[in-house]
Amino acid sequence: MRLVHLDLKGAAPRVSYLEQVFPLLSQLGANGVLIEYEDMFPFKGELEILRSPYAYSEEDIERIQQLADQYKLEVVPLVQTFGHVEFILKHEKYQHLREVERFPNSFNPHVPDTLALLKSILSQVIEKHRRSTWIHIGADEVFHLGEGIDSKNWMSHHKGDVGTMYLKHIKEVLGFLTAQYWGLRVLMWDDMLRKISVGALQVALVARACPTAVPFLTKYVESGFEAVWFASAFKGTTGPAQAWTPLSYHLKNHLSWLKVMQAVPRLAPLRLQGVVLTGWQRYDHYSVLCELLPVSIPSLAICLQTLVNGGFTEDAKRRVLDVLGLESVQLEQSTCEGRGVFPGVEIYHMVEQVNGHLKESILKALEEESAIKGWFSPYHRKRQFGNPRNMESFGSKVLKLHEDWESFVRDLRAQLERIYFPDTVEEWMEENVNPYLDQLRDLVRDYR
């Protein structure tokens, strides 16, 4: 299975955009989507507080699954059940369930309310995904586990270590799922399992490995695992505020994974069940946005086709260019030539402009123009005096630059609004455009 991860904890696309993206995923070789809803799920009743103001409706969730059916994509919902639960624990209502009171990252596994809450969250999500045969319970990066008072008490009473305590909670979650939803198969990330001994691990879990994976795989074989998945990445792993996707980096990640895949047959009876191509949209609920989905579509296409073809062969490259409507791709420069026909290609080209020219052109105008430095310094601007003769020497240039960027940004905003909800558009502009454009706006205001 080749699942593409849709991380909705930031820049969740409108369903109308997914209508364009799903056929593309299918064309490029994906046969499933791993959907991490977080606060975009239409929680109801007691859980309504968890919903974002822009959360998908129940009709949207149904539409997503119809689209997936239409394009033969398996839908795997992802519900975090231990760490990365800031969207839950930030609320005062659930603050008492934190492992460490100051931090909203991880659940305290010893409070009965934790499991009760997880049961109702899982139930609501699974009820709306009755066609799904898999669920992913997250369970990665459980920061500060073992640091809470309840955990310290538990460990002193049970001579236990953090690993045993971690597994105890996971088994409770799995116990609920197997009792309640017979036949539903469960996936989880494996970073927390890597620290746990073989003895403690002899419980049936499914793991995520990494490019230095063979030692871990051996350990999982000894622990009684029958199947394993790998998780690569097509975006969202090269920096929390990354705006442009580095193509060769992600291609190399997939080439490393192909090597690991070739090693799996030597580890029989362990078999490879699938690959998740992760595409993180934020590092956690509180961090800024990383690369937008339209920006990373060339990377996703290259990565999927690399997996399908067993390498980035000439065939794979030709297919990527044909499907995306591009003329060529420069891996080291992370650029593509050609107009492109993929969904959101306008945003792809416009973000390229912002990333490559906005900051540079504005700083150049403001810092290298000697007339501005000499006759229109912060001192002049504050006291509102200056020589019109010298001001006119740079005025028309600065006004033109300002007008060009303002008009460009209006177009960009309109394109973003077609794909994203207002909160995403605002956040992306605040992070990537305004820090530079505002400096130019202020100068133009003072100049006038």
Side-chain angles (χ1 to χ4, degrees):
M1 292 175 77
R2 289 182 290 269
L3 307 186
V4 173
H5 173 223
L6 297 175
D7 180 14
L8 306 183
K9 64 178 175 279
R14 296 176 186 271
V15 176
S16 54
Y17 184 62
L18 296 179
E19 287 174 351
Q20 300 172 280
V21 169
F22 278 24
L24 180 71
L25 299 183
S26 185
Q27 243 184 318
L28 289 166
N31 50 21
V33 280
L34 176 69
I35 306 184
E36 184 163 357
Y37 287 106
E38 203 175 82
D39 58 359
M40 287 301 291
F41 188 81
F43 291 109
K44 50 182 204 243
E46 274 288 280
L47 303 177
E48 203 167 324
I49 191 173
L50 302 178
R51 291 168 68 150
S52 149
Y54 300 102
Y56 291 153
S57 65
E58 293 188 12
E59 293 71 31
D60 290 336
I61 303 288
E62 182 50 37
R63 178 75 185 117
I64 289 169
Q65 291 174 92
Q66 286 169 357
L67 285 167
D69 280 354
Q70 189 180 341
Y71 296 105
K72 302 191 171 36
L73 299 168
E74 173 99 24
V75 174
V76 181
L78 188 155
V79 177
Q80 285 286 4
T81 55
F82 213 162
H84 283 298
V85 282
E86 299 91 349
F87 83 104
I88 300 169
L89 298 182
K90 69 179 182 180
H91 295 286
E92 206 176 321
K93 179 178 178 178
Y94 298 120
Q95 210 167 332
H96 67 292
L97 302 181
R98 296 175 177 185
E99 168 71 358
V100 174
E101 201 182 341
R102 291 206 321 282
F103 305 133
N105 303 64
S106 307
F107 277 126
N108 173 346
H110 310 284
V111 187
D113 286 3
T114 293
L115 195 61
L117 175 62
L118 281 173
K119 285 176 177 178
S120 62
I121 290 174
L122 286 162
S123 300
Q124 287 201 18
V125 173
I126 294 167
E127 287 307 322
K128 290 276 167 272
H129 291 84
R130 294 315 299 229
R131 312 178 183 69
S132 295
T133 55
W134 294 90
I135 186 160
H136 196 307
I137 59 166
D140 58 320
E141 298 187 338
V142 188
F143 298 134
H144 309 292
L145 183 61
E147 292 173 24
I149 294 160
D150 291 345
S151 288
K152 284 178 176 163
N153 289 341
W154 186 90
M155 290 195 292
S156 69
H157 284 115
H158 293 80
K159 298 189 178 62
D161 57 11
V162 174
T164 309
M165 189 166 64
Y166 172 83
L167 288 176
K168 179 177 173 290
H169 176 71
I170 296 301
K171 284 166 77 176
E172 284 172 350
V173 171
L174 292 176
F176 164 70
L177 290 170
T178 45
Q180 211 57 35
Y181 302 99
W182 192 84
L184 188 64
R185 288 176 291 177
V186 185
L187 286 161
M188 61 182 284
W189 304 128
D190 88 314
D191 53 293
M192 299 294 289
L193 300 179
R194 293 182 200 176
K195 307 163 193 157
I196 299 174
S197 70
V198 170
L201 262 185
Q202 286 168 336
V203 275
L205 301 171
V206 184
R208 161 171 90 168
C210 78
T212 50
V214 178
F216 293 118
L217 294 177
T218 310
K219 171 177 161 180
Y220 296 143
V221 175
E222 288 167 18
S223 308
F225 284 78
E226 291 167 10
V228 69
W229 289 61
F230 296 150
S232 59
F234 70 91
K235 79 177 191 80
T237 55
T238 53
Q242 183 80 16
W244 195 250
T245 311
L247 297 179
S248 67
Y249 176 92
H250 291 288
L251 172 59
K252 282 173 190 154
N253 177 248
H254 284 77
L255 295 174
S256 305
W257 276 115
L258 285 170
K259 288 195 181 109
V260 181
M261 288 175 198
Q262 286 154 11
V264 174
R266 300 203 299 272
L267 298 164
L270 191 72
R271 61 194 166 80
L272 174 63
Q273 187 119 41
V275 182
V276 176
L277 294 90
T278 63
W280 306 100
Q281 194 51 74
R282 295 187 196 283
Y283 280 30
D284 76 19
H285 186 77
Y286 285 89
S287 66
V288 298
L289 295 170
C290 34
E291 311 103 295
L292 296 171
L293 187 53
V295 169
S296 58
I297 280 183
S299 172
L300 175 56
I302 287 167
C303 296
L304 268 171
Q305 278 295 300
T306 296
L307 292 179
V308 171
N309 289 275
F312 194 50
T313 57
E314 276 307 310
D315 281 354
K317 188 174 180 178
R318 172 62 27 225
R319 177 95 177 126
V320 167
L321 296 176
D322 287 350
V323 171
L324 301 185
L326 295 168
E327 283 157 31
S328 67
V329 59
Q330 307 302 323
L331 292 171
E332 292 306 324
Q333 290 77 35
S334 299
T335 55
C336 298
E337 279 70 54
R339 284 184 56 188
V341 292
F342 56 89
V345 68
E346 302 84 1
I347 289 174
Y348 175 86
H349 289 307
M350 292 172 111
V351 170
E352 190 171 22
Q353 289 297 312
V354 169
N355 196 53
H357 304 297
L358 176 72
K359 177 180 177 179
E360 192 189 336
S361 70
I362 291 175
L363 295 182
K364 192 172 176 197
L366 301 190
E367 288 171 12
E368 289 180 15
E369 180 66 63
S370 66
I372 292 181
K373 280 200 138 102
W375 281 269
F376 202 53
S377 72
Y379 181 84
H380 292 93
R381 288 165 64 183
K382 199 171 176 180
R383 289 162 184 76
Q384 300 194 331
F385 80 102
N387 186 333
R389 178 178 170 274
N390 300 81
M391 285 174 65
E392 280 169 15
S393 71
F394 66 80
S396 56
K397 198 161 38 168
V398 165
L399 290 175
K400 169 118 177 54
L401 183 69
H402 173 249
E403 198 173 301
D404 289 350
W405 276 119
E406 289 290 11
S407 138
F408 174 87
V409 165
R410 273 194 301 278
D411 292 346
L412 172 59
R413 187 179 275 277
Q415 291 295 343
L416 287 170
E417 282 167 353
R418 287 174 47 201
I419 292 180
Y420 292 111
F421 298 101
D423 57 341
T424 297
V425 179
E426 223 36 65
E427 182 181 350
W428 199 88
M429 289 297 195
E430 286 280 347
E431 288 291 334
N432 297 284
V433 172
N434 296 352
Y436 313 107
L437 197 48
D438 282 350
Q439 295 177 47
L440 185 59
R441 287 167 174 154
D442 291 348
L443 183 96
V444 165
R445 183 199 59 216
D446 292 353
Y447 174 85
R448 287 192 170 129

